[in-house]
Amino acid sequence: MAKKRQTKKSQKNTKKKDLFVMIGSIALTVVLVVTMILNAPIIDYRTITNGTMSTRQISIMKYFKVWQPLVQKEGTLQKPVNTDASALNLKEDTDDADPKDDGLDLDQIVEGQYTVLFMGMDESGKLADVNWIFQFDIFAGTMNVLQIPRDCYMPAYANTSTNKFNSIYGTGQDETVTPIQRAVNAIQESFGLVIDCYVKLSCTDIANIVDSIGGIPIDLPEEIMYEADKVLKPGKQTLNGQQAEWFVRFRREYDEGDIGRVKAQRIFLAAAMQKLLDMSQTELMSAMQKIYKNEWIATDLSLEQISMLADFAAKRLTMDGVNVYMVPGEGIMYEGQAVYSIHKTEAIDLINEYFRPYQNEMYYDESTIVELVDESNYIDTYSDTEENLGDIHNGDTEDGKQNIYSNGN
């Protein structure tokens, strides 16, 4: 009797084992099938380069890694091959025969740095009124920002009626490339900066983006009267989207005109940077998903790449590790137009010192910058504009001051 019970128990255990084996086999088969499906090249992935659309088949896994939902607006950029050291004029790595790996798994043109062009458009969508270059130095764990005034005199690229940088995107001279590529070419050939990617937005979408991250805490140095019924009081406050748009677009009371606005925008940049650093990775990615879903920006960055940069910023960047510069120059009248004449030598010196950490120096003749003011007649107005975001955020700045000349300050 005991032997029978033992036999039945043994049979029961055997059935359980067989059941577990069967379930395990089914689960393994499902995993293998799903893995094969996810990695099989079954999706037609379209990209636009220089106005030409091409299609290639990629896997689902690859699709989610490279997916650029907003790239169709502007297309992808033409980029130099990152292994062509001579074309990029890379510094020799004296410590090792092989190039260093900065640990950031991004498709970088120059190892160790990642450079983003940010353009803010006016209401027409054709004029680029805000032009910032954000360069992440991955090895150093810092970031440098270059502001390009919209009125920069750039006759080789701009609309011939104005010759201003802000016209290059919408009505620039080279019609063989996309608008964003036109702007990138002008930057690369004038300033020797290689651009990895771009982010473009219209002024009307600033409000949506700011609201999507819960507003921007900021300390305004002076009252901003954008219009009679659109007033921002001085002091600490949190700007909502609409108020943020008023602040970044305001320029009427700055004696320096657009340059005064460029300087004041540094206050907003410092406040926005601090806000982003204070956000968790989950909060930031949630906001980015909303921005992508609503198509508030145009960019060739995928969500995965955004996540990588956000992770780098959260782990490595501090406010004191971000410095802001403006292209050196001075405002003058030329052929009936108020333009910003770049100080070529000073601009090249600035680029070489702060924006080519892993490339050899650019020489004067390698830049396409055209000066309207001879170097011997420079007015030392905007030659030294370096500021630190930490200092700006703490109020140690003259940015945002209105009527600075008329008040005798």
Side-chain angles (χ1 to χ4, degrees):
M1 195 69 180
K3 193 172 182 180
K4 275 187 177 182
R5 285 200 198 104
Q6 193 172 7
T7 301
K8 285 183 179 180
K9 188 175 182 181
S10 178
Q11 290 174 344
K12 196 172 183 181
N13 288 337
T14 300
K15 286 181 179 179
K16 281 184 178 180
K17 286 180 181 178
D18 291 342
L19 180 61
F20 287 142
V21 170
M22 183 177 67
I23 292 173
S25 299
I26 293 172
L28 181 59
T29 302
V30 170
V31 169
L32 290 173
V33 170
V34 170
T35 301
M36 289 174 63
I37 292 173
L38 290 176
N39 288 282
I42 59 176
I43 294 178
D44 288 337
Y45 183 69
R46 295 179 298 173
T47 56
I48 299 176
T49 303
N50 196 23
T52 303
M53 180 177 290
S54 60
T55 303
R56 60 190 173 103
Q57 287 194 317
I58 62 175
S59 68
I60 295 174
M61 291 294 289
K62 182 69 173 176
Y63 178 77
F64 281 109
K65 284 187 175 182
V66 303
W67 184 45
Q68 300 165 303
L70 304 180
V71 77
Q72 305 298 342
K73 289 187 173 186
E74 298 289 340
T76 54
L77 298 178
Q78 301 169 2
K79 299 180 183 180
V81 180
N82 57 9
T83 55
D84 191 346
S86 59
L88 294 171
N89 200 10
L90 299 177
K91 293 179 180 177
E92 290 186 9
D93 188 348
T94 55
D95 298 329
D96 201 329
D98 297 320
K100 291 180 180 177
D101 183 359
D102 59 25
L104 190 64
D105 189 21
L106 281 171
D107 185 16
Q108 300 155 256
I109 298 174
V110 176
E111 189 71 20
Q113 70 183 45
Y114 199 74
T115 308
V116 183
L117 166 63
F118 174 86
M119 299 182 75
M121 312 302 292
D122 74 345
E123 298 97 327
S124 72
K126 292 183 178 181
L127 297 176
D129 281 350
V130 179
N131 306 283
W132 294 337
I133 308 294
F134 294 88
Q135 187 178 86
F136 297 85
D137 188 329
I138 312 303
F139 287 127
T142 59
M143 181 171 72
N144 285 333
V145 183
L146 180 67
Q147 295 176 296
I148 303 175
R150 68 171 194 167
D151 293 337
C152 281
Y153 179 71
M154 302 189 78
Y157 307 94
N159 184 301
T160 54
S161 66
T162 69
N163 290 311
K164 296 181 181 182
F165 178 86
N166 71 338
S167 71
I168 295 174
Y169 171 87
T171 56
Q173 296 175 37
D174 188 355
E175 297 182 353
T176 65
V177 297
T178 61
I180 197 71
Q181 187 69 54
R182 244 190 330 255
V184 167
N185 289 349
I187 291 167
Q188 293 182 157
E189 293 166 14
S190 300
F191 303 114
L193 298 171
V194 290
I195 305 298
D196 289 283
C197 63
Y198 64 85
V199 176
K200 181 182 79 78
L201 61 85
S202 68
C203 61
T204 55
D205 287 326
I206 294 173
N208 293 325
I209 292 172
V210 170
D211 285 336
S212 74
I213 61 173
I216 303 291
I218 198 169
D219 190 355
L220 298 184
E222 295 189 12
E223 179 180 278
I224 297 292
M225 184 177 288
Y226 186 71
E227 292 177 4
D229 58 341
K230 298 176 180 178
V231 180
L232 303 175
K233 296 297 183 182
K236 294 183 178 180
Q237 58 200 283
T238 297
L239 299 182
N240 63 29
Q242 189 177 61
Q243 293 169 328
E245 183 184 347
W246 298 344
F247 179 67
V248 299
R249 299 186 67 193
F250 175 78
R251 70 169 182 163
R252 185 178 59 253
E253 295 301 321
Y254 299 129
D255 281 348
E256 296 173 289
D258 189 62
I259 298 302
R261 174 167 62 176
V262 169
K263 289 182 176 182
Q265 286 169 350
R266 294 181 175 194
I267 299 173
F268 182 81
L269 176 61
M273 185 73 183
Q274 185 62 64
K275 170 73 177 190
L276 295 177
L277 291 177
D278 289 341
M279 294 174 68
S280 69
Q281 198 74 340
T282 301
E283 290 172 330
L284 185 58
M285 289 313 298
S286 176
M288 286 309 305
Q289 287 171 353
K290 188 173 183 180
I291 290 168
Y292 272 57
K293 180 181 177 182
N294 289 282
E295 299 186 359
W296 289 330
I297 61 173
T299 182
D300 56 349
L301 281 167
S302 68
L303 279 171
E304 183 188 44
Q305 291 169 325
I306 287 283
S307 178
M308 289 179 184
L309 287 175
D311 187 58
F312 166 77
K315 292 179 179 178
R316 302 283 305 281
L317 277 185
T318 64
M319 293 290 283
D320 292 335
V322 182
N323 290 309
V324 189
Y325 308 83
M326 186 175 73
V327 172
E330 60 187 272
I332 66 167
M333 292 299 298
Y334 180 73
E335 296 184 348
Q337 294 277 349
V339 299
Y340 186 81
S341 179
I342 301 170
H343 292 175
K344 186 170 182 177
T345 298
E346 292 176 350
I348 291 173
D349 288 345
L350 184 149
I351 296 296
N352 284 332
E353 184 171 359
Y354 299 110
F355 290 89
R356 291 173 67 91
Y358 308 109
Q359 294 172 275
N360 291 311
E361 290 188 356
M362 174 177 63
Y363 294 109
Y364 187 93
D365 292 341
E366 294 176 305
S367 167
T368 58
I369 292 172
V370 176
E371 293 186 281
L372 292 173
V373 180
D374 185 80
E375 189 170 340
S376 61
N377 295 317
Y378 280 175
I379 297 175
D380 190 23
T381 307
Y382 305 116
S383 296
D384 183 12
T385 60
E386 178 183 359
E387 285 191 289
N388 179 268
L389 279 199
D391 292 338
I392 295 172
H393 189 63
N394 292 329
D396 185 14
T397 178
E398 292 299 310
D399 297 337
K401 299 293 184 182
Q402 300 173 30
N403 301 312
I404 60 171
Y405 299 130
S406 56
N407 286 342
N409 294 331

